[in-house]
Amino acid sequence: MKSGNATAPSPHRRTEKPRRGETSAPLPKSFLAAQIHRALGEAERARAAYEQARPLAARAIAESPRDAARYALLGLIDAGLGRNEEAIRNGARAVELLPETVDALDGPIFKISLARIQTMVGNRETALSLLEESATRPGGITKSELRFDPTWDPLRQEPRFQKLLAAE
């Protein structure tokens, strides 16, 4: 065994490539709490949690400005805070940074995130168009995601959404 300046790899450092949907982007607990409060209809608690998560997400972008997941996260937080223009801009930036044409595994995740943002800010037609496109692509939205994710509740009565659920 040689001695010297060589150091062993950290047991906490991941050496293999991330799996689908994994990212180095921090996911604040306050964001997760906000999503739960939102799903439960607890608007004030959701807003407080989104406000707590926002500076963490903004700091994460400053640390890694080319990470699409960080923009998607900030877009979802901004949508939860009613910052509609910022939310859409951040969601679109995520899609721009990692489009499906560049990464067929993770790229679709960001298009779905943009559809979530569009739904949250009330742009149903745009959200439905994104979902329709995503549903036709490998790695796109699944019927199970559409059926069970409360994000899509505002779209459930839309004929186009019903068609997505019924598609073979």
Side-chain angles (χ1 to χ4, degrees), residues 1 10 18 37-38 46 58 60 65 75 78 83 93 100 115 117 130 139 142-143 146 150-152 154 167:
M1 182 169 178
S10 166
H37 292 305
R38 184 176 170 274
D78 283 340
R83 296 174 165 208
R93 179 70 175 141
E100 294 169 302
I117 290 165
L130 289 165
T142 66
K143 283 187 192 181
L146 292 170
T151 302
W152 312 121

Side-chain angles (χ1 to χ4, degrees), residues 69-133:
R70 294 171 191 235
Y71 283 93
L73 176 62
L74 186 57
L76 290 165
I77 291 168
D78 283 340
L81 290 170
R83 296 174 165 208
N84 297 359
E85 288 180 21
E86 292 171 77
I88 294 166
R89 187 171 50 249
N90 285 316
R93 179 70 175 141
V95 171
E96 177 185 309
L97 285 169
L98 195 63
E100 294 169 302
T101 56
V102 172
D103 188 327
L105 289 176
D106 289 333
I109 293 170
F110 301 115
K111 187 163 279 184
I112 295 166
S113 293
L114 182 56
R116 289 177 193 283
I117 290 165
Q118 294 286 1
T119 300
M120 290 172 72
V121 304
N123 294 339
R124 292 181 181 188
E125 293 300 314
T126 304
L128 286 164
S129 294
L130 289 165
L131 290 173
E132 287 165 343
E133 184 180 337

Side-chain angles (χ1 to χ4, degrees), residues 18-68:
R19 293 185 191 112
R20 173 176 155 80
E22 289 184 357
T23 175
S24 65
L27 192 60
K29 288 180 184 178
S30 51
F31 169 72
L32 298 173
Q35 294 290 86
I36 291 167
H37 292 305
R38 184 176 170 274
L40 293 173
E42 300 171 350
E44 287 181 32
R45 293 179 81 183
R47 182 168 187 79
Y50 282 127
E51 286 175 353
Q52 187 179 2
R54 191 174 195 290
L56 301 172
R59 185 170 40 244
I61 287 175
E63 292 169 0
S64 187
R66 304 244 352 121
D67 187 338

